[in-house]
Amino acid sequence: MAVLESKAEAAFDGLYDQHKKAIYKLKEQKRANYEKLRLATAKPHEVPWHLPASIDFKRLPTDPLWERHLYVEGNGQFRAELGSWEAGVLKEELAKPEVVGWLRNLDRKPWSLEIPYEKGGDVRPMFPDLVVVRKVGSEFAIDILEPHDPSLSDNFEKAVGLAKFAEKHGGLFGRIQLIRKQSSAGGEHFARLEINQAATIKKLLLITSNPQLDDLFAVASK
């Protein structure tokens, strides 16, 4: 069975590589069929990230209004109930004039940005909370921001997953940050570990426990 799966995967990859330019040009619904096949494997495969013309996003009329979201309702507004950490980080971002847009990256949507990480020998999907767009000169920078509670058991695995992603794809992005709320003499603040730097990537790839990540946060976060 392992031999059959290996041969089938090699055959599929060859066909996908041969036709991926044509697949990229297909309409969203047809392209999604090929992407589902591409993801139907225990080992993650890269799939080009496409944002559709519209997204499915649950919200209530009582949810807070937010500025500059990439998708808005017919009245030009966007409502969403964000977690306290997400809301706090987003307020810091929207205070920067260079931030021109953002996306609340929901879990397991067809349009979500998905990054793999390993935990207990299994490969799992991670969906960073915020994708932020900044205007830098005449170009745009795309940032990945992940506010993450340090008490959660998957902290260092997700940090390593982000580091591996940055090592391979960091040139396509601006900031890739793991973010924590921390207390200091000046009160609580959001500490940001900038992962999309060669020195930080090298350190993260050596980490095997949450205490080691805590130590790196203590010396390298801002």
Side-chain angles (χ1 to χ4, degrees), residues 11-77:
F12 182 90
D13 287 348
L15 286 168
Y16 186 87
D17 288 339
Q18 181 181 350
H19 299 288
K20 60 185 177 183
K21 287 187 177 179
I23 292 172
Y24 185 87
K25 296 177 181 178
L26 290 174
K27 291 183 178 179
E28 181 183 333
Q29 187 173 3
K30 289 187 177 180
R31 187 176 65 242
N33 292 331
Y34 290 97
E35 291 175 354
K36 286 180 182 177
L37 292 172
R38 185 78 171 150
L39 292 170
T41 174
K43 184 176 70 174
H45 285 278
E46 295 175 18
V47 174
W49 185 38
H50 297 274
L51 286 176
S54 61
I55 62 173
D56 52 327
F57 198 108
K58 290 184 179 179
R59 71 276 183 202
L60 296 173
T62 54
D63 287 344
L65 285 170
W66 296 95
E67 299 178 351
R68 285 174 263 171
H69 193 262
L70 295 181
Y71 292 90
V72 295
E73 301 178 51
N75 58 6
Q77 298 178 336

Side-chain angles (χ1 to χ4, degrees), residues 5 19 58 86-87 91 114 125 150-151 156-157 166 205 212:
E5 288 178 353
H19 299 288
K58 290 184 179 179
E86 297 163 4
K91 287 176 182 176
E114 180 178 344
S151 66
F156 86 89
E157 289 99 338
L205 293 180
Q212 290 177 328

Side-chain angles (χ1 to χ4, degrees), residues 109-173:
K109 295 289 186 180
W111 47 267
S112 301
L113 175 64
E114 180 178 344
I115 296 174
Y117 74 102
E118 295 182 29
K119 184 174 177 63
D122 295 327
V123 180
R124 303 184 181 187
M126 175 195 339
F127 301 89
D129 288 330
L130 300 172
V131 178
V132 172
V133 184
R134 290 178 295 122
K135 187 73 180 297
V136 181
S138 60
E139 299 183 348
F140 294 98
I142 311 299
D143 302 327
I144 298 172
L145 307 182
E146 170 61 4
H148 203 72
D149 189 337
S151 66
L152 298 175
S153 62
D154 61 3
N155 257 266
F156 86 89
E157 289 99 338
K158 284 192 171 179
V160 172
L162 286 170
K164 289 180 178 179
F165 180 84
E167 183 180 43
K168 193 168 187 180
H169 304 291
L172 299 174
F173 295 89

Side-chain angles (χ1 to χ4, degrees), residues 84-98:
S84 60
W85 284 30
E86 297 163 4
V89 170
L90 182 57
K91 287 176 182 176
E92 288 187 357
E93 293 300 307
L94 293 177
K96 302 170 183 175
E98 66 270 23

